[in-house]
Amino acid sequence: MGNENQDIQSMKQRISDLVDEINEHSYRYHVLDAPTISDFAYDMMVRELEDLERKYPSLKRHDSPSSRVGAAPSKQFEPFIHPAPMLSLQNAFSDSEILEFDERVRKALDTTEHIEYVTEPKLDGVALELVYEKGALVVGATRGDGTTGENVTTNAKTIPSVPLSLRIPKGEQAPDKLVVRGEVIIEKSDFQALNQKRLEASQAVFANPRNAAAGSLRQLDSRITASRPLRAYMYATALASVPVDTQWQLLQWLKNIGFLVNPLARKCTGPKEVLGSYSDMLHKRDSLPYEIDGLVIKVNDFELQRQLGEISKSPRWAIAYKFPAVQETTKVNDIIVQVGRTGALTPVAILEPVRIGGVEVSRATLHNQDEIQRKDVRIGDTVLVQRAGDVIPEVVSVVLQKRPDDTSRFVLPSTCPVCGSEVVRIEGEAAARCPNVSCPAQLKRSIQHFASRDAMDIDGLGTKLIEQLVDAGLVKDVADLYTLSHQELSSLDRMADKSASNLLESLKKSRKKSLGKFLFALGIRHVGQHMAFVLADRFSSLESLMAASTEELEAIDGVGPEVAASVHAFFSSERNRKLIERLTEVGVYPLEHLPDEALEQTTGPLAGQKVVLTGTLGTMPRRQAQEIIRSMGGQIASSVSKKTDLVIAGEKAGSKLKKATDLGVKVMDERQFLEMVKDFRGSQEKNR
Ligand code: IVH
């Protein structure tokens, strides 16, 4: 009996240690973004814990990571009355409104001194309240009407960045009660992947990341919530009995006790600095991994906040400076059908041109027939159109109040509008496809893709020219491009002697590309730019990739069964093998290990600079980053010295980053790097 007791005691201790350790590593990973152990070691700990919990269910701790998996569906959410009302923010839309806000604040505080503010990105997600009692998470709730929200605790627990218990230093007491508030978001890339999956499964897509986040948080089946890539950024506490005096300190404190806090908060003195912070954020907007719709400006000092108080459900000490809208309404003048590179028929709305976020938009995708039906978009309708980041504009919804009597419904044709082939719709797939691989529309789109900058980069081969080349029968596949003669080109409409020579020159220049670019150019289904470089990283040559089995492909980190099957099928096709053979004959083939000089550019923002890449980049494989650096004129070096001009530091950057800081070498993080790339590409685009 005594022994058994001892066993139980030691099991309890082991379980407890494992929970502490796993929660700490989870914090390092999800909040600090600086893991100290491998995913494998982490998974092993979780497995050990799960085994022990199965054997000794009564010893399971309330904050065990195994309670993050979700539970069976509930019928409805219980209402939850907020311990203090959740306020909203007044909005401002211009610099002058911010200056007025600052004046109101100073007048109310009776001061002419500069006020200290904290600016934070206004995350475009869904608000979340978390209640902790004696350090343990007891409630997660939505905002609701600000007084009463919904109790979504089981769902909140599935979010990896929500701590199940607070990180309180040993020996210190957790507060009796702590109410923390923040915003739950889905990152743009996760959102797109989620929608892509839904499109393929013929499910309705989410209109935007905010809807996806809100929908995910309010799932009655928390296992679905657990499967969605949610993140919770926290920025406030209610019932303020916190050991800090300012918003700025609060953010740091929240981070220390376990919460994910947005790193882009800034401390500003006076309204001028606030406006500077707004314009910085506006510039960053598109390159951020998540959507933001403005800047929140808060008086830093809690005592001043208290003095300012609130009016009609919003604090007097804060304001939201909104960004220009990325959604506008306009009229659908027509709906046409485009045939894509893979034969997919995409309905596209032809719009009354409208400016959205500084760009004129005259077309928007309607995705597929199911989406047209679900949104019930008709020709003549007024619709809400959205343009977010680099994404193709899309129709979000119909403004039904504005529907005229004479709208006409649109039905996708049953034959390809270009070649007349009978359209097929594969069971379980949302897209209707033209099955004719020689369909001129498919050919034109594949050439366009092949010639694009991130692929073979054939300068001067634009859409109009491709149309002419295909229509005249001069080009039947991409290999034909390389056997075009000067005479053939000059025979085309509006093709001057000089342009023909230029095109031949850029075709010649385009022939030798890295394996990554070449693979991307081939337009293999499910192989985007990123995946192309993942494959290139793993295989040293095109031949070895072509010989790879589905199993070998699937064994690569980041390659799923779908991609593996698609790559394998592509290279098994007789037609594709012939094409690659023909490309080789005309001198087009990938060179994986190009000597540096072959890729180096002498111009660009990094011209003549020695650049060291360290750590892992979240947005692209290493080889791709190296290529981009070279295309901007940089030379890749492997170690950091006084001669190094720039260090680009990704995640888990270690000794090289330290050395760079010690030597005072300029360092950029991934985001700054991406911004530079974007600027560079923007300027290139203008010169094209
Ligand atoms: S503070 C009393 N900070 O915007 C002030 N709100 O209209 C409470 N939001 O309901 C809000 N990012 O859902 C604050 N950094 C941020 C925010 C933020 C997004 C949302 C939040 C709030 C709404 C205010």
Side-chain angles (χ1 to χ4, degrees), residues 104-344:
R104 280 199 302 276
V105 166
R106 282 185 295 123
K107 195 158 172 225
L109 296 172
D110 195 20
T111 176
T112 52
E113 303 271 300
H114 273 330
I115 302 286
E116 203 166 67
Y117 294 102
V118 170
T119 61
E120 298 167 16
K122 186 168 191 301
L123 302 172
D124 200 4
V126 53
L128 175 69
E129 175 169 86
L130 298 170
V131 182
Y132 291 82
E133 278 172 10
K134 298 213 169 13
L137 175 63
V138 290
V139 176
T142 62
R143 180 176 187 279
D145 63 6
T147 309
T148 310
E150 286 169 319
N151 185 324
V152 292
T153 311
T154 324
N155 291 354
K157 280 189 169 176
T158 69
I159 304 174
S161 51
V162 166
L164 301 174
S165 53
L166 300 177
R167 287 179 78 250
I168 302 290
K170 285 247 173 328
E172 275 178 44
Q173 277 250 305
D176 274 347
K177 189 166 180 159
L178 181 70
V179 180
V180 185
R181 290 170 179 173
E183 199 86 354
V184 172
I185 56 130
I186 287 188
E187 293 200 344
K188 294 179 204 169
S189 57
D190 288 333
F191 164 74
Q192 266 168 37
L194 178 65
N195 262 357
Q196 191 55 42
K197 262 201 242 150
R198 293 178 70 87
L199 269 178
E200 280 162 14
S202 293
Q203 290 172 313
V205 295
F206 289 110
N208 51 48
R210 171 167 35 82
N211 286 0
S216 303
L217 187 63
R218 297 187 64 254
Q219 281 292 328
L220 289 169
D221 185 340
S222 52
R223 289 167 300 194
I224 298 179
T225 313
S227 76
R228 302 274 170 81
L230 299 174
R231 275 167 223 259
Y233 284 96
M234 307 313 278
Y235 45 68
T237 53
L239 311 175
S241 67
V242 287
V244 292
D245 306 314
T246 65
Q247 172 68 11
W248 187 249
Q249 293 166 353
L250 179 77
L251 294 174
Q252 186 56 49
W253 181 70
L254 286 174
K255 185 170 170 180
N256 287 341
I257 60 172
F259 296 98
L260 177 62
V261 169
N262 195 287
L264 299 177
R266 293 283 172 269
K267 199 155 64 167
C268 300
T269 308
K272 268 229 180 73
E273 285 186 22
V274 168
L275 295 181
S277 167
Y278 175 83
S279 105
D280 285 351
M281 199 65 82
L282 190 54
H283 280 107
K284 284 208 181 86
R285 183 185 198 180
D286 279 353
S287 63
L288 294 178
Y290 40 73
E291 289 198 344
I292 61 177
D293 59 347
L295 188 76
V296 182
I297 301 157
K298 303 173 180 175
V299 170
N300 189 27
D301 192 314
F302 285 163
E303 173 52 27
L304 298 185
Q305 286 187 5
R306 197 193 56 76
Q307 286 174 28
L308 285 159
E310 59 202 51
I311 27 159
S312 60
K313 305 210 165 177
S314 28
R316 260 202 209 89
W317 46 265
I319 195 162
Y321 189 176
K322 300 289 282 275
F323 288 150
V326 287
Q327 293 191 331
E328 290 295 343
T329 55
T330 188
K331 212 176 129 216
V332 177
N333 288 333
D334 197 4
I335 295 177
I336 60 156
V337 175
Q338 276 183 351
V339 185
R341 189 154 52 83
T342 57

Side-chain angles (χ1 to χ4, degrees), residues 454-623:
D454 293 322
M456 302 307 276
D457 193 14
I458 309 173
D459 207 3
L461 187 58
T463 321
K464 292 241 164 65
L465 185 52
I466 295 172
E467 295 272 336
Q468 287 192 61
L469 288 169
V470 173
D471 292 344
L474 289 172
V475 172
K476 296 202 175 61
D477 61 33
V478 289
D480 286 344
L481 291 169
Y482 294 89
T483 55
L484 286 169
S485 68
H486 192 276
Q487 199 188 348
E488 282 170 325
L489 283 173
S490 333
S491 74
L492 297 172
D493 254 8
R494 276 171 302 173
M495 179 57 106
D497 204 50
K498 182 92 186 346
S499 333
S501 310
N502 285 347
L503 180 61
L504 287 174
E505 190 52 39
S506 54
L507 275 163
K508 200 165 144 200
K509 247 177 51 191
S510 78
R511 288 189 311 210
K512 307 277 180 290
K513 283 285 178 309
S514 68
L515 183 56
K517 287 198 172 184
F518 184 81
L519 287 176
F520 176 59
L522 289 178
I524 306 168
R525 265 189 93 189
H526 302 302
V527 178
Q529 212 187 343
H530 181 90
M531 187 51 69
F533 277 89
V534 168
L535 294 171
D537 262 351
R538 164 67 180 74
F539 293 94
S540 49
S541 69
L542 181 60
E543 291 69 32
S544 56
L545 172 61
M546 287 174 77
S549 66
T550 328
E551 292 74 33
E552 280 173 86
L553 290 164
E554 255 188 77
I556 305 170
D557 201 16
V559 176
E562 215 173 21
V563 175
S566 167
V567 172
H568 187 76
F570 185 91
F571 290 118
S572 307
S573 136
E574 189 51 34
R575 196 187 148 89
N576 292 333
R577 284 180 167 269
K578 279 240 170 68
L579 176 66
I580 289 168
E581 218 169 278
R582 283 208 51 226
L583 280 169
T584 316
E585 279 164 21
V586 296
V588 183
Y589 43 82
L591 280 184
E592 199 30 24
H593 296 293
L594 283 181
D596 271 5
E597 309 82 68
L599 283 166
E600 249 159 43
Q601 298 276 330
T602 46
T603 55
L606 294 176
Q609 296 195 25
K610 293 202 170 42
V611 183
V612 173
L613 194 60
T614 181
T616 35
L617 299 179
T619 54
M620 64 179 82
R622 197 173 185 81
R623 201 154 286 182

